[in-house]
Amino acid sequence: MPVSVPPEGAPHHPPRLARPQAVPRLTEPGHSLPAPEDVADGAAEGFCDEFWADVRRRGTPLVSADPQGRADHLAVTFLWRGTPATRAVMVLPNKLGDPRTPEGNLMERLPGTDIWHWTLRLRHDWRGTYDLYVDEGAEAGGPTPGSPAYWGWLRTQRRADPFNTRTLPGRWDAGPVPYAELPAAPRAVDWEPRPGAARGTVTEHEVASGHLGAPRRVWLYEPPAAAAEAPAELPLLVLLDGEHWQPRLGLARLLDNLIADGRVPPLAAVLPESVDASTRWTELTCRPEYVAFLTDELLPWATGRLPVTADPARTVIAGQSLGGLTAAYAALTAPDRFGNVLAQSGSFWWPVGPDAEWLTGRIADGPRLPVRFWLSFGEQEWANLPAARRLRETLAAAGYDDASYREFNGGHDYLCWRTELADGLVDLLSGA
């Protein structure tokens, strides 16, 4: 089906939906905090020092038993050590907040102490990154709490969590982002350096583009030379947002490990950059010129450097958020080049004027193409899920019986996308 060209001007956010369920906050902290008698009569300072020393040993957030007694849920307590000037502390775990009621994500201070706390009740397979924002009072120069400008200002006061050593690289120029994983959450073991595993080669290049009007940085992964079972023509992964996946997250480690385990065949990967947020919104929103860059410029460039396949059934295009939307659009536009879509938290809500969920409508109106879909979304992405589930239903009605769809307990989050990416690659390429 040639997919029609959408006009410019879609909004830069999903629909402003109300959160369907309240943030699962507990009124009582899950971890035992000091009792009032412990901090009375000047005893707070010594007790707090002991409390924070224990927190430093354990790391944050603190995890304790579910107060309702269920084995598959836990109480998760986020903490901040305040100063006499601290007026407010906000904690925002990925998609576990409601922008309409930001006060629900404010910590409470234990009276008479420097202990600020906020507790959620979460299923034991949850994982997510989170941010802390701290109002240090008049010295910070911010507006008055409760004023119209206050919440926007508070979101500029980001702080690192000094009690959590687990971090993930932030997007663009943001610093490291702390994260938490509950005991039953999938672990990203396939991303860890593995002694003895043969290593592929990653090189950085600049690819000229007439379609985009400017060159693009690209990272090229070549599988280990020692992979004797390498096919004459390598299966190909095209993974969007390459500047984050390789230099920051280290995609090559994942591919090395999957190849060493025999879970995927030796493959090549091409990772084009998305430049910056503005460029990303311009190019990764179902733009035909971007697909032309991929098919007419990027893939021929890669073929000139490695023996990559031209078989669409052995080619995967993958992306997250807008990248997931674009991966699906590229395959529907050029099914002769992209036979597999790996879309994670794809922005399938994306509208054109009054035509909401534009790409899903094109799928419903078109013939069944030789494209396989592997889709995953976070259970906490409440604004994204309605469109995601309608896409699943549309694919089924359009005859895409081999489409895979699943939801994980997390948000719009690279922490979750790492393991989801590994699972999707194994599913799509294990027989390539």
Side-chain angles (χ1 to χ4, degrees), residues 178-307:
Y179 69 85
E181 296 176 310
L182 296 188
R187 293 295 188 265
V189 293
D190 292 323
W191 287 82
E192 297 171 0
R194 189 179 302 174
R199 296 183 179 180
T201 303
V202 178
T203 49
E204 181 181 340
H205 306 268
E206 191 172 84
V207 176
S209 176
H211 289 293
L212 300 181
R216 289 290 184 271
R217 287 185 302 162
V218 172
W219 288 264
L220 181 66
Y221 171 84
E222 181 177 1
E229 71 279 14
E233 291 186 342
L234 297 169
L236 179 63
L237 165 66
V238 177
L239 178 57
L240 307 181
D241 292 306
E243 78 286 347
H244 194 66
W245 279 109
Q246 177 51 45
R248 296 187 178 218
L249 296 177
L251 176 81
R253 290 195 303 270
L254 171 69
L255 300 182
D256 290 344
N257 291 340
L258 295 181
I259 292 170
D261 291 345
R263 296 164 65 193
V264 300
L267 74 154
V270 182
L271 294 83
E273 70 169 334
S274 52
V275 185
D276 54 37
S278 176
T279 302
R280 195 169 185 268
W281 274 104
T282 299
E283 296 180 350
L284 300 190
T285 46
C286 300
R287 305 311 306 171
E289 59 270 22
Y290 192 81
V291 177
F293 159 67
L294 296 176
T295 59
D296 300 347
E297 297 171 335
L298 185 63
L299 294 189
W301 173 88
T303 302
R305 282 156 180 79
L306 292 176

Side-chain angles (χ1 to χ4, degrees), residues 38-52:
D38 293 325
V39 296
D41 301 324
E45 184 174 349
F47 190 97
C48 288
D49 287 343
E50 182 178 336
F51 174 82
W52 288 114

Side-chain angles (χ1 to χ4, degrees), residues 57 76 112 132 136 143 153 173 203 205 215 243 255 296 310 319 326 344 382 409 414:
R57 284 191 297 269
V76 182
L132 295 169
E136 286 294 354
W153 172 83
D173 296 326
T203 49
H205 306 268
E243 78 286 347
L255 300 182
D296 300 347
T326 297
Q344 301 169 268
W382 80 90
N409 189 7
Y414 278 96

